[in-house]
PDB file of all heavy atoms in Angstrom:
ATOM      1  N   THR A 179      -6.701   2.398  42.494  1.00 94.00           N
ATOM      2  CA  THR A 179      -6.010   2.031  43.741  1.00 94.00           C
ATOM      3  C   THR A 179      -5.283   3.227  44.349  1.00 94.00           C
ATOM      4  O   THR A 179      -5.120   3.294  45.564  1.00 94.00           O
ATOM      5  CB  THR A 179      -5.016   0.880  43.514  1.00 94.00           C
ATOM      6  OG1 THR A 179      -4.235   1.166  42.357  1.00 94.00           O
ATOM      7  CG2 THR A 179      -5.744  -0.433  43.334  1.00 94.00           C
ATOM      8  N   GLY A 180      -4.867   4.195  43.498  1.00 95.00           N
ATOM      9  CA  GLY A 180      -4.178   5.373  44.034  1.00 95.00           C
ATOM     10  C   GLY A 180      -5.046   6.142  45.013  1.00 95.00           C
ATOM     11  O   GLY A 180      -4.617   6.463  46.137  1.00 95.00           O
ATOM     12  N   LEU A 181      -6.269   6.455  44.619  1.00 96.00           N
ATOM     13  CA  LEU A 181      -7.148   7.241  45.505  1.00 96.00           C
ATOM     14  C   LEU A 181      -7.850   6.381  46.556  1.00 96.00           C
ATOM     15  O   LEU A 181      -8.489   6.921  47.468  1.00 96.00           O
ATOM     16  CB  LEU A 181      -8.156   8.057  44.687  1.00 96.00           C
ATOM     17  CG  LEU A 181      -7.560   9.285  43.997  1.00 96.00           C
ATOM     18  CD1 LEU A 181      -8.640  10.088  43.284  1.00 96.00           C
ATOM     19  CD2 LEU A 181      -6.808  10.196  44.979  1.00 96.00           C
ATOM     20  N   GLU A 182      -7.733   5.048  46.440  1.00 94.00           N
ATOM     21  CA  GLU A 182      -8.159   4.197  47.565  1.00 94.00           C
ATOM     22  C   GLU A 182      -7.347   4.539  48.805  1.00 94.00           C
ATOM     23  O   GLU A 182      -7.784   4.288  49.931  1.00 94.00           O
ATOM     24  CB  GLU A 182      -7.902   2.724  47.237  1.00 94.00           C
ATOM     25  CG  GLU A 182      -9.085   1.983  46.722  1.00 94.00           C
ATOM     26  CD  GLU A 182      -8.736   0.533  46.456  1.00 94.00           C
ATOM     27  OE1 GLU A 182      -7.969  -0.068  47.224  1.00 94.00           O
ATOM     28  OE2 GLU A 182      -9.233   0.002  45.439  1.00 94.00           O
ATOM     29  N   MET A 183      -6.125   5.087  48.590  1.00 94.00           N
ATOM     30  CA  MET A 183      -5.226   5.382  49.700  1.00 94.00           C
ATOM     31  C   MET A 183      -5.389   6.827  50.186  1.00 94.00           C
ATOM     32  O   MET A 183      -4.501   7.356  50.854  1.00 94.00           O
ATOM     33  CB  MET A 183      -3.786   5.097  49.266  1.00 94.00           C
ATOM     34  CG  MET A 183      -3.571   3.636  48.848  1.00 94.00           C
ATOM     35  SD  MET A 183      -1.999   3.420  47.963  1.00 94.00           S
ATOM     36  CE  MET A 183      -0.860   3.526  49.338  1.00 94.00           C
ATOM     37  N   LEU A 184      -6.509   7.438  49.830  1.00 95.00           N
ATOM     38  CA  LEU A 184      -6.773   8.818  50.275  1.00 95.00           C
ATOM     39  C   LEU A 184      -6.674   8.894  51.798  1.00 95.00           C
ATOM     40  O   LEU A 184      -7.291   8.088  52.501  1.00 95.00           O
ATOM     41  CB  LEU A 184      -8.181   9.245  49.831  1.00 95.00           C
ATOM     42  CG  LEU A 184      -8.541  10.718  50.036  1.00 95.00           C
ATOM     43  CD1 LEU A 184      -7.722  11.610  49.123  1.00 95.00           C
ATOM     44  CD2 LEU A 184     -10.028  10.943  49.775  1.00 95.00           C
ATOM     45  N   GLY A 185      -5.887   9.846  52.273  1.00 93.00           N
ATOM     46  CA  GLY A 185      -5.708   9.989  53.712  1.00 93.00           C
ATOM     47  C   GLY A 185      -4.323   9.560  54.162  1.00 93.00           C
ATOM     48  O   GLY A 185      -3.861   9.954  55.237  1.00 93.00           O
ATOM     49  N   THR A 186      -3.636   8.761  53.327  1.00 94.00           N
ATOM     50  CA  THR A 186      -2.307   8.274  53.722  1.00 94.00           C
ATOM     51  C   THR A 186      -1.202   9.250  53.333  1.00 94.00           C
ATOM     52  O   THR A 186      -0.061   9.084  53.739  1.00 94.00           O
ATOM     53  CB  THR A 186      -1.988   6.915  53.063  1.00 94.00           C
ATOM     54  OG1 THR A 186      -1.968   7.080  51.634  1.00 94.00           O
ATOM     55  CG2 THR A 186      -3.027   5.873  53.427  1.00 94.00           C
ATOM     56  N   ARG A 187      -1.533  10.265  52.490  1.00 95.00           N
ATOM     57  CA  ARG A 187      -0.484  11.177  52.010  1.00 95.00           C
ATOM     58  C   ARG A 187      -0.609  12.565  52.637  1.00 95.00           C
ATOM     59  O   ARG A 187       0.042  13.501  52.214  1.00 95.00           O
ATOM     60  CB  ARG A 187      -0.587  11.325  50.482  1.00 95.00           C
ATOM     61  CG  ARG A 187      -0.546  10.033  49.710  1.00 95.00           C
ATOM     62  CD  ARG A 187      -0.736  10.267  48.199  1.00 95.00           C
ATOM     63  NE  ARG A 187      -0.811   8.994  47.492  1.00 95.00           N
ATOM     64  CZ  ARG A 187      -1.946   8.364  47.194  1.00 95.00           C
ATOM     65  NH1 ARG A 187      -3.099   8.899  47.525  1.00 95.00           N
ATOM     66  NH2 ARG A 187      -1.905   7.209  46.566  1.00 95.00           N
ATOM     67  N   VAL A 188      -1.473  12.684  53.626  1.00 96.00           N
ATOM     68  CA  VAL A 188      -1.830  14.012  54.129  1.00 96.00           C
ATOM     69  C   VAL A 188      -0.774  14.561  55.092  1.00 96.00           C
ATOM     70  O   VAL A 188      -0.159  13.806  55.854  1.00 96.00           O
ATOM     71  CB  VAL A 188      -3.237  13.942  54.783  1.00 96.00           C
ATOM     72  CG1 VAL A 188      -3.197  13.178  56.091  1.00 96.00           C
ATOM     73  CG2 VAL A 188      -3.860  15.299  54.950  1.00 96.00           C
ATOM     74  N   ILE A 189      -0.552  15.855  55.029  1.00 95.00           N
ATOM     75  CA  ILE A 189       0.339  16.539  55.968  1.00 95.00           C
ATOM     76  C   ILE A 189      -0.382  16.621  57.313  1.00 95.00           C
ATOM     77  O   ILE A 189      -1.554  17.018  57.357  1.00 95.00           O
ATOM     78  CB  ILE A 189       0.647  17.967  55.459  1.00 95.00           C
ATOM     79  CG1 ILE A 189       1.362  17.931  54.120  1.00 95.00           C
ATOM     80  CG2 ILE A 189       1.461  18.750  56.493  1.00 95.00           C
ATOM     81  CD1 ILE A 189       1.480  19.317  53.471  1.00 95.00           C
TER      82      ILE A 189
END
Side-chain angles (χ1 to χ4, degrees):
Chain A
T179 47
L181 285 184
E182 263 181 38
M183 300 166 75
L184 189 68
T186 62
R187 305 177 185 94
V188 71
I189 298 171

